Amino acid sequence: MFAAYAARIDRDQPLNGLELGERPAPEVRPGWTTVNVRAASLNHHDLWTLRGVGITEESLPMILGCDAAGVDADGNEVVLHSVIGQTGHGVGAREKPSILTERYQGTFAEQVTVPAWNVLPKPKELSFAEAACLPTAWLTAYRMLFTNAGVRPGDSVLVQGAGGGVATAAIVLGAAAGLRIFATSRDEAKRERALKLGAEAVFATGERLPQRVDAVIETVGAATWSHSVKSLKPGGTLVISGATSGFTPKSGELNRIFFLELKIVGSTMGSKEELTGLLSFCAAKGIRPVIDSTLPLDRAREGFTKMAEGELFGKIVLTV
């Protein structure tokens, strides 16, 4: 079957390890099922995999891709929850949870196998492309906002780095839930698009806000860390799920964190129950993921290049 996969690890030039070509069709394990992929979406996790994060040379070649929507063996339209082993289903209770591509082959292929427990019905209101955007970036944003940030309708939230998949999702989901969303970006066009998605106000990266906020959604990392901490009200919450600009900020702002009793919460992906809630929320409220572009699987390299260069707003979808 045709697939996009990591053939080599290159920490400095990750796209050098990306190959497109034929790979063996997946074998079904007991308790697992095969899904014919109709659409899958790119995440920064795929670039990190090409850099060797969460994977070893011994695991290669590894088909990339965490997200997918497709059709199962019984003809049902489904969405995949990409955290394998979160409850032991299909792998045994002692195996640590992992995301597709860390231990098991991913979704950038004609077929993928996952534990049957990881398959959810696709809402009829969502297309395959839209549904394929939800299980990683949008689920991450959903958990950051509604589980870890502790915000309620009317609260204020700063979303750093408008344009990325998680940030875009946080703007849309937060606005739909009645939150006051402030967003930042270095790019004026992205700031304008954030306003159209429901942000109350937008600012250049690092610009001082007119007020402090109840929570910050942080995925940029080093470049925005100080601004995120300084933007919080006393007792506010900073939720971080990524660091696309690097892991080491110039200042940790530790004095502000302890003196203002700020909360720093790490957040990774989300549970199957949260994905079920996200799917229902999108269907009920008419929410649709923001799709930057849609490409056939054999043009996956174009999508990877665009994501690596940061030249996107929303999700890049690969169709099969």
Side-chain angles (χ1 to χ4, degrees):
M1 65 176 183
F2 189 80
Y5 60 96
R8 294 168 298 280
I9 290 173
D10 191 323
R11 288 170 174 78
D12 298 320
Q13 300 293 330
L15 296 189
N16 288 345
L18 175 65
E19 295 285 350
L20 306 178
E22 293 297 316
R23 296 298 304 150
E27 296 182 3
V28 182
R29 300 153 51 111
W32 289 48
T33 188
T34 299
V35 173
N36 294 305
V37 178
R38 293 291 181 266
S41 66
L42 274 70
N43 294 283
H44 277 280
H45 184 274
D46 300 306
L47 283 175
W48 289 115
T49 300
L50 288 166
R51 291 188 175 101
V53 177
I55 193 173
T56 63
E57 293 278 0
E58 291 72 27
S59 302
L60 302 179
M62 175 63 72
I63 297 173
L64 297 165
C66 306
D67 293 339
V71 179
D72 68 11
D74 296 321
N76 301 306
E77 296 185 352
V78 298
V79 183
L80 305 187
H81 180 236
S82 58
V83 182
I84 307 300
Q86 195 168 49
T87 59
H89 286 82
V91 298
R94 294 187 178 182
E95 182 173 304
K96 293 182 179 180
S98 63
I99 300 172
L100 283 174
T101 73
E102 292 178 345
R103 184 176 290 120
Y104 301 105
Q105 300 291 328
T107 60
F108 293 168
E110 296 174 57
Q111 292 184 324
V112 63
T113 59
V114 295
W117 185 86
N118 286 71
V119 175
L120 291 82
K122 180 183 76 66
K124 65 180 185 302
E125 294 87 351
L126 299 174
S127 68
F128 284 115
E130 291 166 343
C133 296
L134 299 179
T136 298
W138 278 66
L139 178 59
T140 297
Y142 184 89
R143 180 176 177 83
M144 292 175 81
L145 283 170
F146 305 127
T147 300
N148 289 329
V151 288
R152 297 175 296 181
D155 285 348
S156 55
V157 178
L158 169 63
V159 178
Q160 297 280 20
V166 175
T168 303
I171 293 169
V172 175
L173 293 171
L179 300 172
R180 300 179 61 204
I181 301 295
F182 301 149
T184 70
S185 175
R186 295 173 298 175
D187 185 275
E188 183 177 356
K190 290 182 179 180
R191 295 196 294 271
E192 289 299 317
R193 292 191 67 178
L195 284 173
K196 293 178 181 178
L197 291 178
E200 179 177 314
V202 293
F203 305 89
T205 300
E207 184 178 347
R208 185 172 181 174
L209 305 185
Q211 66 178 72
R212 292 185 179 180
V213 297
D214 296 292
V216 176
I217 300 301
E218 174 65 83
T219 59
V220 179
T224 55
W225 181 261
S226 289
H227 182 252
S228 292
V229 174
K230 292 175 181 178
S231 298
L232 281 169
K233 293 178 180 179
T237 303
L238 189 160
V239 186
I240 180 168
S241 68
T244 56
S245 68
F247 298 106
T248 310
K250 291 182 179 179
S251 171
E253 303 293 347
L254 298 182
N255 58 326
R256 290 178 179 271
I257 291 171
F258 70 73
F259 189 73
L260 297 177
E261 297 187 332
L262 305 179
K263 294 179 283 292
I264 309 298
V265 181
S267 191
T268 299
M269 296 289 288
S271 67
K272 180 182 177 181
E273 291 73 23
E274 287 166 327
L275 179 55
T276 299
L278 171 61
L279 291 166
S280 297
F281 188 38
C282 289
K285 293 293 185 179
I287 297 170
R288 298 296 178 266
V290 181
I291 296 177
D292 175 272
S293 52
T294 301
L295 299 167
L297 181 58
D298 60 7
R299 292 173 58 190
R301 185 174 296 277
E302 295 176 39
F304 271 88
T305 301
K306 192 172 187 179
M307 183 171 64
E309 294 175 349
E311 297 300 323
L312 77 169
F313 192 94
K315 297 288 290 178
I316 297 173
V317 175
L318 302 177
T319 56
V320 181

